[in-house]
Amino acid sequence: MALDYKWFEEMEARIPKGEVRTRFAPSPTGYMHVGNLRTALYTYLIARSMGGKFILRIEDTDQGRYVDGAVDVIYNTLRDCGLTHDEGPDIGGPVGPYIQSQRRDLYLKYAELLIEKGGAYRCFCGKDTDESDDAGFKKYDGRCARLSPEEIQAKLDAGMPYVIRQKIPREGETTFSDVVFGDITVPNDSLDDNVLIKSDGLPTYNFANVIDDHLMGITHVVRGSEYLSSAPKYNLLYQSFGWDIPVYVHCSPVMRDAHSKMSKRHGDPSYEDLLAQGYLNDAILNYVALLGWSPRGEREIYSLQELTEVFDITGISKSPAIFDIEKLKYFNSEYIRAASPERFAALAEPYIRSVVTDPAMDAGKIAAILQQRCEVLTDIPEKIDFFSALPDYPTDLFIHKKSKCDTAVALSMLTAVLPDLEALDSWDHDGIYGLLVEKAAALGVKNATLMWPVRIAASGKAVTPGGAVEICEILGKEETLRRLRLAVARLQAAE
């Protein structure tokens, strides 16, 4: 193949210079796992904290793993989390296309250029020497690297299929630097001559990554620590081309426990699963930021904007981070309590209406009694199901020592207050509260002695969001009176 040097010069001229540029380059495999979301977040924070650009690239050359709709999952996740990209397939940019399968024609050209520069060679050995990125087979012996130009041409003339392999120096060492793990040196003879271009002309993941990162001007590469072993070979590729090496930021894995990485295959939640389980975007993102990164000081709760202001890559830890669902639940409860009443009502309404279908019952008022008593949104239906149907409860729920209430006291309290509630015209919070407080005083008992049996009768539950007044207001006068009369009948029957 005759090389078009002018084309290579034009490609170089397109590369943006003089700014920090990071990229999130997911494969469209159908879901966003927690480790992948963390990579996206750290990549975004590095760019934003340094006044740079955050780029989205879709790496879809492995069509065997491609899942329909997966690209939409990527877009939706970034949008919902507020990780706005500056360049990408949907908005374009100076170094597109930003979908790897649309760039496939350029990889072979760079492989041919690498052959000319002495960093690669054609290998005619066939399938037995493997075409994958990291298959578990014995190291290739490099025999085709020793073919003479005449032997190579003869094989090409005969139409023999071939792959293109990276030519690793057999002597010396390669050292690469990583922000998290420091300098790491490996002997070159421990590295394999990786396949760069497969026999079908398509690139392997490792080669396409390096080419795309260079041509897109990527200055900081964030990826999982499982790629540490490949970093020396990446360095050698950059050096063979004569290109600048980006800053490497390898992040240790997110673990289920001290021994096992999180895995969707083993039932660990993806980002979408966590949303479905009632966790808020902001809480997930805040917690994920702290999975392997520590800000200075004791503070833990940060908005995305605040994270961009305090993020420093030197705070990323070498140690694996253990995903603790209880810790995430704590973060979520903090975000729920800190939300404006209007925002929480909007978030809670679908969960409220899944059980409380009567439009006369105000979803906003139900949300108000839930907000300080809710850890995850999926808690809501179980907490408020009594509004739609009074459960079959035992009369011993009326017994409460602190409120000085037993079944006999409960019966007398409910019998005494029912006529007053029946006569109440202003069925709202202040009206109900004022009546109950005045009635308790008239009966010579503490407020709790009257409020406890009213709440139990109205809800049929020992623990409820909101007290007697809030529950009666939401139920409405007719339903409240019906339930209190049923409680009286139940208590009378139990005597």
Side-chain angles (χ1 to χ4, degrees):
M1 177 187 291
L3 297 179
D4 182 352
Y5 293 102
K6 184 178 179 182
W7 180 84
F8 289 112
E9 291 172 2
E10 290 172 350
M11 293 297 288
E12 290 293 311
R14 297 174 65 204
I15 301 173
K17 302 287 196 303
E19 63 182 2
V20 168
R21 292 174 62 82
T22 68
R23 51 76 170 164
F24 178 51
S27 297
T29 55
Y31 62 91
M32 183 77 72
H33 59 74
V34 170
N36 218 13
L37 177 59
R38 186 186 64 174
T39 299
L41 176 59
Y42 287 1
T43 304
Y44 172 88
L45 291 175
I46 289 170
R48 291 291 177 261
S49 65
M50 296 183 178
K53 296 286 197 320
F54 173 57
I55 294 139
L56 174 63
R57 183 172 78 226
I58 303 297
E59 299 196 338
D60 64 342
T61 51
D62 187 350
Q63 290 295 306
R65 298 177 65 214
Y66 185 87
V67 174
D68 286 339
V71 173
D72 290 333
V73 170
I74 294 166
Y75 285 136
N76 293 340
T77 301
L78 294 180
R79 183 193 64 243
D80 292 348
C81 291
L83 305 182
T84 307
H85 51 283
D86 302 292
E87 301 169 25
D90 53 337
I91 57 177
V95 289
Y98 294 87
I99 297 177
Q100 212 166 55
S101 61
Q102 295 175 8
R103 301 170 61 84
R104 62 179 56 182
D105 292 342
L106 60 84
Y107 302 117
L108 182 57
K109 295 178 182 179
Y110 277 95
E112 295 286 350
L113 177 63
L114 191 61
I115 290 174
E116 183 168 296
K117 287 178 174 290
Y121 60 93
R122 294 178 180 82
C123 174
F124 300 90
C125 291
K127 289 282 187 181
D128 61 319
T129 50
D130 193 80
E131 295 188 0
S132 68
D133 290 300
D134 54 1
F137 70 103
K138 65 181 182 180
K139 194 172 77 167
Y140 178 62
D141 60 12
R143 73 190 74 160
C144 285
R146 299 186 288 273
L147 293 174
S148 68
E150 293 75 20
E151 290 173 312
I152 294 170
Q153 191 59 51
K155 292 179 182 293
L156 291 174
D157 291 343
M160 288 185 64
Y162 63 87
V163 300
I164 297 178
R165 288 184 180 273
Q166 182 176 6
K167 189 174 185 179
I168 301 289
R170 295 278 67 91
E171 297 179 352
E173 299 173 328
T174 294
T175 298
F176 71 94
S177 297
D178 181 80
V179 168
V180 180
F181 289 87
D183 290 347
I184 298 177
T185 299
V186 298
N188 288 333
D189 63 5
S190 68
L191 304 176
D192 194 19
D193 288 4
N194 271 11
V195 173
L196 305 178
I197 300 291
K198 295 178 283 189
S199 57
D200 59 7
L202 293 178
T204 57
Y205 168 84
N206 288 325
F207 187 58
N209 233 260
V210 168
I211 301 302
D212 288 342
D213 284 346
H214 173 71
L215 294 180
M216 292 184 177
I218 302 305
T219 60
H220 294 67
V221 173
V222 183
R223 58 181 168 231
S225 58
E226 65 268 24
Y227 291 102
L228 276 170
S229 61
S230 298
K233 289 177 275 192
Y234 297 151
N235 267 26
L236 289 169
L237 284 173
Y238 281 107
Q239 290 168 3
S240 295
F241 280 115
W243 295 340
D244 292 338
I245 297 170
V247 176
Y248 293 133
V249 185
H250 287 87
C251 301
S252 292
V254 179
M255 308 288 285
R256 179 195 311 131
D257 51 42
H259 307 290
S260 306
K261 288 175 64 174
M262 285 189 74
S263 168
K264 181 74 171 172
R265 289 190 299 273
H266 295 112
D268 295 315
S270 66
Y271 166 74
E272 294 85 357
D273 293 333
L274 292 173
L275 289 180
Q277 291 167 16
Y279 293 92
L280 307 187
N281 279 317
D282 295 345
I284 297 170
L285 207 62
N286 190 159
Y287 179 61
V288 166
L290 301 179
L291 287 174
W293 172 77
S294 298
R296 294 181 176 89
E298 299 298 318
R299 182 180 172 189
E300 291 185 311
I301 304 297
Y302 291 92
S303 68
L304 180 59
Q305 178 56 42
E306 289 168 335
L307 283 171
T308 66
E309 294 166 3
V310 302
F311 190 80
D312 184 340
I313 55 178
T314 61
I316 299 175
S317 173
K318 292 181 185 179
S319 303
I322 295 179
F323 182 85
D324 182 349
I325 196 70
E326 292 303 316
K327 184 72 170 178
L328 174 58
K329 192 173 289 187
Y330 157 75
F331 273 81
N332 206 64
S333 65
E334 290 293 306
Y335 272 88
I336 283 176
R337 293 183 182 111
S340 69
E342 296 77 18
R343 178 165 188 258
F344 179 71
L347 292 168
E349 184 165 13
Y351 298 89
I352 293 170
R353 288 305 181 201
S354 71
V355 290
V356 182
T357 56
D358 184 351
M361 294 188 189
D362 190 326
K365 290 180 179 178
I366 296 174
I369 65 174
L370 282 165
Q371 187 165 1
Q372 301 304 313
R373 301 170 178 86
C374 181
E375 290 186 310
V376 292
L377 296 176
T378 46
D379 287 345
I380 290 174
E382 185 272 334
K383 287 180 179 293
I384 62 168
D385 55 3
F386 66 88
F387 281 116
S388 59
L390 182 68
D392 183 18
Y393 60 93
T395 56
D396 60 10
L397 281 188
F398 288 103
I399 301 170
H400 192 256
K401 186 180 292 186
K402 189 174 180 181
S403 299
K404 297 183 178 179
C405 187
D406 56 23
T407 54
V409 171
L411 178 58
S412 66
M413 292 293 107
L414 294 174
T415 303
V417 81
L418 260 169
D420 299 271
L421 289 170
E422 289 168 347
L424 182 64
D425 292 326
S426 52
W427 195 269
D428 55 26
H429 183 279
D430 291 345
I432 298 167
Y433 177 78
L435 183 152
L436 293 178
V437 169
E438 288 176 11
K439 191 65 177 179
L443 294 171
V445 298
K446 292 184 176 181
N447 291 344
T449 305
L450 176 58
M451 299 281 192
W452 180 269
V454 170
R455 186 179 65 81
I456 296 300
S459 68
K461 285 193 169 188
V463 179
T464 58
V469 175
E470 293 87 356
I471 291 170
C472 290
E473 181 188 11
I474 292 166
L475 283 172
K477 184 174 182 178
E478 183 179 338
E479 180 62 13
T480 297
L481 294 175
R482 184 186 77 82
R483 293 186 180 196
L484 266 58
R485 293 184 189 116
L486 283 173
V488 168
R490 187 181 295 239
L491 287 164
Q492 289 172 337
E495 284 191 329

